Amino acid sequence: MTFANVITKEEIRRMPRERFEGKIVVVETAEKLNEAIAYLSACKEIGFDTETRPSFSKKTHYKMSLLQFSDNDKCFLIRLNKFDKMPVELEDFLKNDSIRKIGLSLRDDFHGLHFVTRVSPDNVVDLQKYVKQFGIEEMSLQKIYAILFGKKISKRERLTNWDSERLTEAQKMYAAIDAWACLRIYQYLEGNR
């Protein structure tokens, strides 16, 4: 199967907006984290993404606020800013090589992770490299998703405060879609080899 290799912002603008219809679980406690890891450990592959509070100054940097993991039905938003340090259980999960973790621009995510843990995730697929074998030249999640599914992913919440006391519904949806869309792209392309 062949796919368009590029898409314009104008084409995306005319597309309907995508929504994640699964369950979104916000994880802020050790108990919820253990439940999330138990659920995710039964998956063969998951979508993966991170969020960090934006800095509008070159001198100010923030630690990673959020780790997102999603299967097709459920997305876990793990609020790292609610934990004193990176939980060992989460480090073990990241190192678990029996679970494929699919993300986009993982170099940036791993760079952010480096400030909260020495662990590097195992068994990862970076969609920016992966989609090239299908002739897709675009590198952004929004554009790759639009090429494959004809829907747009809103990026409106990207520069919001991910360290706020409570995440808004719009932030939760944005974060869930980013992780879930990575998995959906991978599964779709694998199914169309």
Side-chain angles (χ1 to χ4, degrees), residues 80-95:
L80 295 177
N81 59 319
K82 299 289 184 175
F83 294 88
D84 292 336
K85 62 179 185 170
M86 176 67 105
V88 173
E89 300 85 356
L90 190 51
E91 289 178 330
D92 291 344
F93 177 76
L94 288 168
K95 291 190 301 186

Side-chain angles (χ1 to χ4, degrees), residues 24 26-27 29 46 70 96-97 102 121 133 155 174 180 193:
I24 300 172
V26 178
V27 177
T29 66
I46 56 172
S70 185
N96 184 337
D97 66 359
I102 300 119
Q133 65 188 296
K155 291 295 184 181
Y174 170 88
W180 169 72
R193 277 189 176 278

Side-chain angles (χ1 to χ4, degrees), residues 24-42:
I24 300 172
V25 180
V26 178
V27 177
E28 298 179 339
T29 66
E31 181 183 349
K32 284 277 190 194
L33 179 63
N34 289 332
E35 291 172 12
I37 290 173
Y39 178 91
L40 292 164
S41 294

Side-chain angles (χ1 to χ4, degrees), residues 17-18 142 152-157 174 177-178:
R17 184 173 290 160
E18 184 60 280
Q142 186 181 48
K152 67 181 168 195
I153 295 174
S154 172
K155 291 295 184 181
R156 193 172 293 158
E157 300 301 314
Y174 170 88
I177 287 174
D178 268 10

Side-chain angles (χ1 to χ4, degrees), residues 3 20 24 34 40 51 53 64 72 75 85 102 105 107-108 113 127 134-135 140 148 186:
F3 304 99
F20 176 64
I24 300 172
N34 289 332
L40 292 164
E51 301 298 339
R53 178 180 178 179
M64 186 177 290
N72 292 304
C75 182
K85 62 179 185 170
I102 300 119
S105 188
R107 186 174 59 93
D108 296 336
L113 267 176
L127 290 175
F134 298 91
S140 79
L148 297 179
Y186 177 78

Side-chain angles (χ1 to χ4, degrees), residues 162-176:
W162 294 100
D163 283 338
S164 63
E165 186 58 32
R166 297 180 79 83
L167 296 177
T168 66
E169 292 304 313
Q171 283 179 307
K172 292 176 195 176
M173 180 60 68
Y174 170 88

Side-chain angles (χ1 to χ4, degrees), residues 117-163:
T117 181
R118 296 260 182 240
V119 168
S120 293
D122 286 334
N123 194 0
V124 296
V125 174
D126 190 329
L127 290 175
Q128 285 186 331
K129 297 173 185 171
Y130 176 79
V131 300
K132 289 179 182 179
Q133 65 188 296
F134 298 91
I136 299 171
E137 296 174 14
E138 298 291 1
M139 294 290 106
S140 79
L141 183 66
Q142 186 181 48
K143 288 186 173 187
I144 296 167
Y145 197 86
I147 286 170
L148 297 179
F149 301 108
K151 289 189 175 182
K152 67 181 168 195
I153 295 174
S154 172
K155 291 295 184 181
R156 193 172 293 158
E157 300 301 314
R158 184 170 65 91
L159 296 178
T160 58
N161 182 1
W162 294 100
D163 283 338

